[in-house]
Amino acid sequence: MASAVSDKAISAIKQMVVDGRLKPGDRLPTEKELAETIGVSRNSLREAVKALSVIRVLDVRQGDGTYVTALEPEQLLESLSFVLDLHQDSSHLEILELRRLMEPIAVEQAAPHLTDEDFAQLDEMLAQLNADSGIEALVASDIAFHRLINHRCPNAYLSTLLDSLASSTSRARVWRGLTDSEAVERTLAEHSRILEALRAGRADLARAYATSHVAGVESWLIRQGVPPDASADGTDPVTGA
C-alpha cells in the first residue's frame, strides 16, 4: 500500500512539472505543504522525492531544499546509462541493434549542422590512425568520431542516448579489434565513407554508410557465436585473465 501511495506522489509531482506549476530550477514547497497538497503522508512524499532524485528529476540539497533539475537529456538519461553498464556483457547484440536503428538517423540529421571546424576535427581523427595503431586507440577514436557527429544532431535526446549505447559496446569493439587483423583498416575506410558523404552534403549516403558500419560490428559478433565477455577457454578476451 505504501508503494501505491508513493506512486501517487510521484505522479502528482510529475504532473506539476508537466503543467508548468513546477519549472526547471524551481524549489519545491516545504515537505508539509506538498504532502498536504497531494494528500499523502510525509513519509510517502519522502519516498517519492527519493525516487525522483535517483532519475535526476529532482535535486535534494541538504539544508537548502529540493529543486527541480534543469531536466536536460544528459541528466534524465543517466539512469539508462547505469542500466546499460549493468548488462553490457549480456546485451551487446541488443544494444548494437539499437545503434544500427538510431545512429544512422542521427548522422542524417547532423549533416546540415556540421561546421568546417567539425570536419577538420574529424579529418584529424582519421589522420591519427593507421595500420599500426593499437586497439584501444582505435576504439577511443571510433567513439570520439561518432560522438562528434551525433552531437550535431538537433535531437538532444537521441544524441545523448547514442552516447550511452556507444560506450556500452566498447568492450565488444575491443574484442573485435583483437581478433580481426583488418579491424583498423576497415574502420578507417568506413569512417572515411561516412565523412566524405557528409562533406558532400549527401545526408542520405551518410545514413546508408552509418547503417553498414554498425551492422558490420553486429554481424561480426553474431558470427562469433559467443558473448564478448568470455573466450572459448573461459578467459577474458581483453585481459587474458
Side-chain angles (χ1 to χ4, degrees), residues 96-108 145-146 149-150 162 176 190-191 193-195 197-198 202-220:
L96 280 167
E97 182 179 16
L98 287 176
R99 273 194 68 201
R100 175 171 50 80
L101 292 171
M102 295 188 295
E103 188 157 308
I105 297 173
V107 170
E108 184 176 43
F145 180 87
H146 292 291
I149 296 172
N150 291 337
L162 286 170
R176 184 194 189 195
E190 292 171 355
H191 282 186
R193 283 195 290 270
I194 294 170
L195 179 54
L198 289 169
R202 291 296 307 273
D204 55 339
L205 277 181
R207 176 174 179 165
Y209 289 145
T211 301
S212 175
H213 177 55
V214 180
V217 182
E218 188 180 8
S219 297
W220 173 85

Side-chain angles (χ1 to χ4, degrees), residues 102-180:
M102 295 188 295
E103 188 157 308
I105 297 173
V107 170
E108 184 176 43
Q109 292 185 2
H113 303 284
L114 288 162
T115 66
D116 290 341
E117 182 180 348
D118 292 332
F119 284 119
Q121 289 186 46
L122 293 167
D123 284 333
E124 181 64 20
M125 289 178 195
L126 297 187
Q128 289 176 353
L129 290 178
N130 56 55
D132 297 323
S133 297
I135 299 306
E136 295 289 351
L138 170 65
V139 173
S141 177
D142 186 42
I143 290 174
F145 180 87
H146 292 291
R147 177 175 289 130
L148 193 158
I149 296 172
N150 291 337
H151 280 199
R152 297 299 175 262
C153 169
N155 186 325
Y157 288 92
L158 179 56
S159 61
T160 301
L161 178 58
L162 286 170
D163 272 353
S164 299
L165 297 179
S167 59
S168 296
T169 56
S170 61
R171 191 174 182 80
R173 281 177 281 178
V174 169
W175 187 36
R176 184 194 189 195
L178 290 172
T179 57
D180 183 351

